[in-house]
Amino acid sequence: MRIFTEPDRKIWQQLCSRPQLELEFLESTVRNILLRVKKSGDAALREFAKQYDGIELNTLEVSHEERIHAAQSVGAALAQAIQLAASNIEKFHRTQLKQQSPIETMPGVVCWRKAIPLRRVGIYIPGGTAPLFSTVLMLAIPARIAGCDEVILCTPPDKNGKVNPAILYAAELAGVSKIFKTGGAQAIAALAYGTETIPATDKIFGPGNQYVTKAKEMVSREGISIDLPAGPSEVLVWADDTANPAFAAADLLSQAEHGTDSQVMLVCNQNQTAEAILSALEKQLETLPRKEIAEQALMNSRAIIFSRDEDALDFINSYAPEHLIINTRHAESKAGRIRNAGSVFVGPYSPEAAGDYASGTNHTLPTNGFARTFGGVSTESFIKYITFQQITREGIQNLGPAVMEMAQAEHLEGHARAIAIRLNDLQK
Amino acid sequence: MRIFTEPDRKIWQQLCSRPQLELEFLESTVRNILLRVKKSGDAALREFAKQYDGIELNTLEVSHEERIHAAQSVGAALAQAIQLAASNIEKFHRTQLKQQSPIETMPGVVCWRKAIPLRRVGIYIPGGTAPLFSTVLMLAIPARIAGCDEVILCTPPDKNGKVNPAILYAAELAGVSKIFKTGGAQAIAALAYGTETIPATDKIFGPGNQYVTKAKEMVSREGISIDLPAGPSEVLVWADDTANPAFAAADLLSQAEHGTDSQVMLVCNQNQTAEAILSALEKQLETLPRKEIAEQALMNSRAIIFSRDEDALDFINSYAPEHLIINTRHAESKAGRIRNAGSVFVGPYSPEAAGDYASGTNHTLPTNGFARTFGGVSTESFIKYITFQQITREGIQNLGPAVMEMAQAEHLEGHARAIAIRLNDLQK
């Protein structure tokens, strides 16, 4: 990990650059998958399962028995941990629900907004070596709190046609309606267009490999809503000389182990601190099971020294990290000055891992600098607002003349007449 | 306008279809415009102004003098109407601001969310015959309430290089920071990438012709945020035998006059009602200044009879209208059962025109069925949320073991170690 000391602002943009996903070459492959599912539905999904997952599936849906059996096969310690996480996630996401009281903007003109849950949402959970049951909680719990009628989950089966029990347990706990054994771009196609057994959904959530990412991008161009634009995961650790170097090193590694395209950034107030952290990191890396992945991710990574807090803050807000750990003196007041980040972890005992799993905040967050404009997934990601207005006879008499004046100035006489016809009628 | 009586559910999808924008052929034209602005900045904008707006511009920015002068040249009645609208819009959009109190999800684990305004937003206002100053209010007022640092407005100049005074007046009133004379796809490019004089913005709002729509779609694929996916404007009027046919007809026409691609839909409980409304519509159409536009829009339009309210509600929720006017008996209780719409106008004295201009609700709304998933522009469109967490020594001891259990089950040992290193340190 290269150290940059007091880098000139001219190279900040370069220091803020992310590893780029090369997705363009996937376009034709993914388009074919989308078209095949659109055309052949379940038959296409079964063919893909045979081709990619190496399994012949009779039924795509996980049966009630499989769900119950799997739930029982999860060990007690893990089940308890998942329950604790679910409880914290529920508590935090419940605070995000609100209804708005009607307001009388002028006498006789009452306006209000109403939160309406999306009817049916789709969740994609990748398969592979890491069974991401934590993501099931992060997406299905807010969906249930929002009041969605149906939560549809797709995830690829293993070679025996099974879904990981912890995923099924988390799905049961979070209230997922239906679970289907299908993965990759074809699962996104199914959630977007629907098949004979999988219902089309209003919005698609969840992480995935480059095929999944490309498929989400492509269906979103067709007007199907998705959670967030995707990019590799990242953390920025801001540590000063008061930080325990071993803590900061462990935090950097917990992000680096995610994938070879992850990025970890370190911002320190002095060279000595950075060096102590990088030395602790080298030591901890040696025994990390996913050492090879982390090593590659560290090649995308940078340590940057700013002696002035102002510069560090400016740089961090320019980088707009998905995760930001502030492990410095006065961490709380510094947190108050962050404008661009997905989720912020304040102080020495707030590692990213806590928020990844169980503290209550959501772990589906904006990557790749999108934190400049987007927030992460919240209960609001599963609702939309409708505005309403109810105007009385008195109200239209108060408001109408202004509307007519403006409509005529915009040369929209028909708008003015929709008011005039009512005002005239009231004068009869 | 053709009448469909009790149509079979099998043809609902067809009845819910919208006039399609043909945008694909624009892709290469718009790509060239985007590239030219990216490459040549202001010089490209000046060339486009010469080519498309027929004007040689020395400076792109509207000067302080022009702004003040224009504001003074707006007639008193229009100025007062705009002030009234601005006041109502401000009142309604202020109610949408909220901060969330921190919550302790378990002892020592405190999580919170903070609303952060987008720093710099871009507003596009089309030129042409209808100077849409109302849209300036609808976008710039929520931006100011949200707390955006800068609001940048682009709009094409007329042949004398001027911007319509009412647009400048509304911009002044709503607190727009800077106004630039540039229109079309090139304006979207400038707001997306920035030029020597126009700063790049974080999110681009506003309506426009097919080039503008295509440009917004294309920059959004590059990760620049936009307000809403676009489509032609539409209204659905739900009227029963208690409705004044002339009111319903005027409401249909006030939407039909928007553009030849607008769509108006009428849902009635009996044929007689529909016929009375259509007959009033024919009569009102005769004297409408924008008759030719409205006539074309009416060709995209349908009247549908449902004797049962349940069917009407199902159909309306399937169609998901941008604007919905409920001019029936028990309008308020029916409004409570709407799940998919942009904005709902309840009762005989609540015409769409009121919300288009001045009642307080926003007029930037989801078209083309997007109301199934999206709400319209609100104060929240100009903010994002960051989540925070602060965990104490006690908190990490309470939460840590569950995090480790889950991380290990996901085979992410590095995550578990970021917890373990802290728990071990606390036991020293």
Side-chain angles (χ1 to χ4, degrees):
Chain A
M1 194 148 90
R2 196 176 145 196
I3 300 183
F4 298 81
T5 304
E6 305 284 355
D8 193 283
R9 281 181 189 242
K10 279 181 202 148
I11 69 155
W12 280 20
Q13 198 180 350
Q14 184 191 327
L15 292 177
C16 287
S17 70
R18 269 58 173 199
Q20 287 308 305
L21 289 176
E22 297 279 353
L23 294 178
E24 287 320 307
F25 73 99
L26 295 173
E27 182 123 1
S28 65
T29 309
V30 172
R31 178 172 294 117
N32 283 335
I33 295 174
L34 298 182
L35 286 174
R36 271 178 67 186
V37 175
K38 210 172 198 173
K39 197 180 152 208
S40 311
D42 288 344
L45 296 180
R46 273 193 289 266
E47 281 164 29
F48 285 122
K50 200 168 158 185
Q51 188 180 344
Y52 295 130
D53 307 312
I55 177 79
E56 294 215 26
L57 292 173
N58 290 319
T59 50
L60 292 165
E61 187 170 357
V62 178
S63 69
H64 181 68
E65 292 68 34
E66 270 177 285
R67 291 181 66 162
I68 299 302
H69 178 76
Q72 288 165 348
S73 75
V74 168
L78 180 56
Q80 270 181 11
I82 293 177
Q83 284 167 28
L84 178 89
S87 160
N88 287 346
I89 294 165
E90 172 144 3
K91 278 181 207 161
F92 185 61
H93 287 77
R94 274 212 183 278
T95 65
Q96 294 161 10
L97 260 195
K98 61 188 181 300
Q99 288 291 352
Q100 198 176 313
S101 306
I103 172 175
E104 194 165 22
T105 54
M106 62 190 297
V109 180
V110 176
C111 302
W112 68 100
R113 283 208 307 173
K114 188 171 162 187
I116 308 268
L118 303 185
R119 198 163 65 88
R120 192 191 284 137
V121 296
I123 296 180
Y124 182 72
I125 300 294
T129 51
L132 299 183
F133 56 84
S134 59
T135 305
V136 178
L137 302 180
M138 294 291 176
L139 298 174
I141 291 174
R144 197 191 52 205
I145 293 172
C148 298
D149 287 348
E150 285 183 77
V151 180
I152 309 298
L153 190 152
C154 287
T155 190
D158 66 16
K159 283 191 177 125
N160 304 312
K162 301 284 180 202
V163 173
N164 183 288
I167 289 180
L168 295 181
Y169 179 76
E172 206 58 31
L173 194 66
V176 169
S177 320
K178 291 184 173 193
I179 305 171
F180 296 96
K181 296 171 185 170
T182 179
Q186 58 273 25
I188 303 304
L191 292 170
Y193 311 129
T195 68
E196 299 89 324
T197 60
I198 305 183
T201 58
D202 296 317
K203 190 169 181 179
I204 302 172
F205 295 79
N209 64 17
Q210 53 192 356
Y211 293 91
V212 169
T213 298
K214 189 72 194 171
K216 283 174 71 185
E217 182 203 310
M218 288 176 72
V219 300
S220 81
R221 278 191 231 161
E222 299 174 35
I224 290 143
S225 202
I226 62 170
D227 47 0
L228 280 170
S233 193
E234 64 206 24
V235 71
L236 187 150
V237 174
W238 186 10
D240 68 7
D241 49 293
T242 66
N244 181 331
F247 289 10
D251 291 340
L252 292 168
L253 283 178
S254 76
Q255 181 59 245
E257 74 170 350
H258 261 296
T260 54
D261 56 4
S262 288
Q263 186 174 62
V264 305
M265 302 282 282
L266 176 63
V267 169
C268 293
N269 64 335
Q270 30 178 273
N271 263 296
Q272 224 177 339
T273 308
E275 278 159 15
I277 292 167
L278 295 186
S279 144
L281 185 146
E282 288 301 324
K283 210 171 125 197
Q284 292 178 23
L285 182 61
E286 283 313 306
T287 62
L288 194 70
R290 291 165 73 98
K291 178 183 172 188
E292 282 171 32
I293 291 172
E295 270 177 337
Q296 279 208 52
L298 289 168
M299 289 196 260
N300 306 323
S301 299
R302 299 159 196 138
I304 304 165
I305 314 299
F306 291 112
S307 58
R308 285 165 19 102
D309 280 350
E310 294 305 312
D311 291 330
L313 271 164
D314 279 358
F315 180 81
I316 291 165
N317 283 325
S318 298
Y319 182 76
E322 181 191 12
H323 305 95
L324 168 64
I325 301 176
I326 308 183
N327 193 347
T328 64
R329 56 172 70 79
H330 313 306
E332 212 175 330
S333 83
K334 288 188 176 105
R337 297 177 62 194
I338 297 302
R339 287 191 67 146
N340 297 329
S343 198
V344 182
F345 300 78
V346 186
Y349 296 101
S350 307
E352 184 199 318
D356 285 344
Y357 288 106
S359 61
T361 58
N362 209 288
H363 77 196
T364 305
L365 294 166
T367 54
N368 200 23
F370 286 113
R372 288 179 207 113
T373 323
F374 291 92
V377 164
S378 70
T379 307
E380 284 149 349
S381 308
F382 298 87
I383 62 159
K384 64 187 180 201
Y385 285 97
I386 301 182
T387 55
F388 291 82
Q389 62 203 278
Q390 186 159 25
I391 304 177
T392 63
R393 287 178 174 79
E394 184 202 358
I396 198 73
Q397 281 166 324
N398 289 333
L399 185 70
V403 173
M404 289 178 66
E405 186 72 38
M406 291 173 76
Q408 280 159 349
E410 285 191 357
H411 310 307
L412 293 171
E413 181 62 27
H415 286 61
R417 292 188 185 177
I419 305 292
I421 203 165
R422 287 167 164 93
L423 296 183
N424 292 339
D425 191 71
L426 286 173
Q427 277 168 0
K428 274 182 196 164
Chain B
M1 196 147 87
R2 195 175 146 197
I3 300 183
F4 298 81
T5 305
E6 306 284 355
D8 194 284
R9 282 181 189 243
K10 278 180 201 146
I11 69 155
W12 281 20
Q13 199 179 353
Q14 185 192 325
L15 291 176
C16 288
S17 70
R18 268 59 172 198
Q20 288 308 305
L21 290 176
E22 296 280 352
L23 294 178
E24 286 320 307
F25 74 99
L26 296 173
E27 182 123 2
S28 65
T29 308
V30 173
R31 178 172 295 115
N32 282 336
I33 296 175
L34 298 181
L35 286 173
R36 272 178 65 187
V37 175
K38 210 173 197 172
K39 199 181 152 208
S40 311
D42 289 344
L45 295 180
R46 272 193 289 266
E47 281 164 29
F48 285 122
K50 201 168 156 186
Q51 188 180 342
Y52 295 130
D53 306 313
I55 177 81
E56 294 215 28
L57 294 173
N58 290 320
T59 49
L60 292 166
E61 188 171 355
V62 178
S63 69
H64 181 67
E65 290 69 33
E66 272 176 284
R67 293 181 64 161
I68 298 302
H69 178 75
Q72 288 164 346
S73 75
V74 168
L78 181 57
Q80 270 180 12
I82 293 177
Q83 285 167 28
L84 178 89
S87 160
N88 287 346
I89 294 166
E90 172 144 4
K91 278 181 206 160
F92 185 61
H93 286 76
R94 273 213 185 279
T95 65
Q96 294 161 11
L97 260 195
K98 60 184 184 301
Q99 288 290 353
Q100 198 175 314
S101 306
I103 172 174
E104 194 166 22
T105 54
M106 60 191 297
V109 179
V110 175
C111 302
W112 69 99
R113 285 208 306 173
K114 189 172 163 187
I116 308 266
L118 303 186
R119 197 163 64 87
R120 191 192 286 137
V121 296
I123 295 180
Y124 182 73
I125 300 293
T129 51
L132 299 183
F133 56 84
S134 60
T135 305
V136 178
L137 303 180
M138 293 292 175
L139 298 174
I141 291 174
R144 197 192 53 205
I145 293 172
C148 300
D149 287 349
E150 285 184 78
V151 180
I152 309 298
L153 191 152
C154 287
T155 190
D158 67 15
K159 284 193 174 120
N160 304 313
K162 302 283 179 202
V163 172
N164 183 289
I167 290 180
L168 296 181
Y169 179 77
E172 205 58 30
L173 194 67
V176 168
S177 319
K178 290 182 173 193
I179 305 170
F180 296 95
K181 296 171 187 169
T182 179
Q186 58 273 25
I188 303 304
L191 292 170
Y193 311 130
T195 68
E196 298 91 324
T197 60
I198 305 182
T201 58
D202 295 318
K203 191 169 180 177
I204 302 173
F205 296 78
N209 64 16
Q210 54 192 356
Y211 293 92
V212 169
T213 298
K214 189 71 193 171
K216 283 174 71 185
E217 181 203 310
M218 288 176 74
V219 302
S220 82
R221 279 191 230 160
E222 297 174 36
I224 290 143
S225 203
I226 62 170
D227 46 2
L228 280 170
S233 193
E234 66 208 21
V235 71
L236 189 151
V237 174
W238 186 9
D240 67 9
D241 49 293
T242 66
N244 182 331
F247 289 11
D251 291 341
L252 291 168
L253 284 178
S254 77
Q255 181 58 247
E257 74 170 350
H258 260 296
T260 54
D261 56 5
S262 288
Q263 187 174 63
V264 304
M265 302 281 282
L266 174 64
V267 170
C268 293
N269 64 335
Q270 28 178 277
N271 261 298
Q272 222 176 342
T273 309
E275 279 158 15
I277 292 169
L278 295 186
S279 143
L281 184 146
E282 288 301 325
K283 209 170 125 197
Q284 293 178 21
L285 181 61
E286 283 314 306
T287 61
L288 194 70
R290 292 165 73 98
K291 179 184 171 189
E292 281 171 33
I293 292 172
E295 269 177 337
Q296 279 207 53
L298 289 169
M299 289 197 257
N300 306 323
S301 299
R302 297 159 198 138
I304 303 164
I305 314 299
F306 291 112
S307 57
R308 286 166 18 103
D309 280 352
E310 294 306 311
D311 291 330
L313 272 164
D314 279 358
F315 179 81
I316 291 164
N317 283 323
S318 298
Y319 182 76
E322 180 191 12
H323 306 95
L324 168 63
I325 301 177
I326 307 183
N327 193 346
T328 63
R329 57 173 70 78
H330 313 307
E332 212 175 332
S333 84
K334 288 189 177 104
R337 299 176 63 192
I338 296 302
R339 287 190 66 147
N340 296 329
S343 197
V344 182
F345 300 77
V346 185
Y349 296 100
S350 307
E352 185 200 316
D356 284 345
Y357 287 106
S359 60
T361 58
N362 208 287
H363 78 196
T364 305
L365 294 166
T367 54
N368 201 22
F370 285 113
R372 290 181 206 111
T373 324
F374 291 92
V377 163
S378 70
T379 308
E380 284 150 348
S381 308
F382 298 88
I383 62 159
K384 65 188 179 199
Y385 285 98
I386 302 181
T387 55
F388 292 82
Q389 62 203 279
Q390 186 158 27
I391 303 176
T392 63
R393 288 178 174 79
E394 183 202 359
I396 198 72
Q397 282 167 324
N398 289 334
L399 184 70
V403 174
M404 291 177 66
E405 186 72 36
M406 291 174 77
Q408 280 158 349
E410 286 191 357
H411 311 306
L412 292 171
E413 180 64 26
H415 286 62
R417 291 188 185 178
I419 305 292
I421 203 165
R422 286 167 164 93
L423 296 183
N424 291 340
D425 191 73
L426 287 172
Q427 278 168 0
K428 271 181 195 163

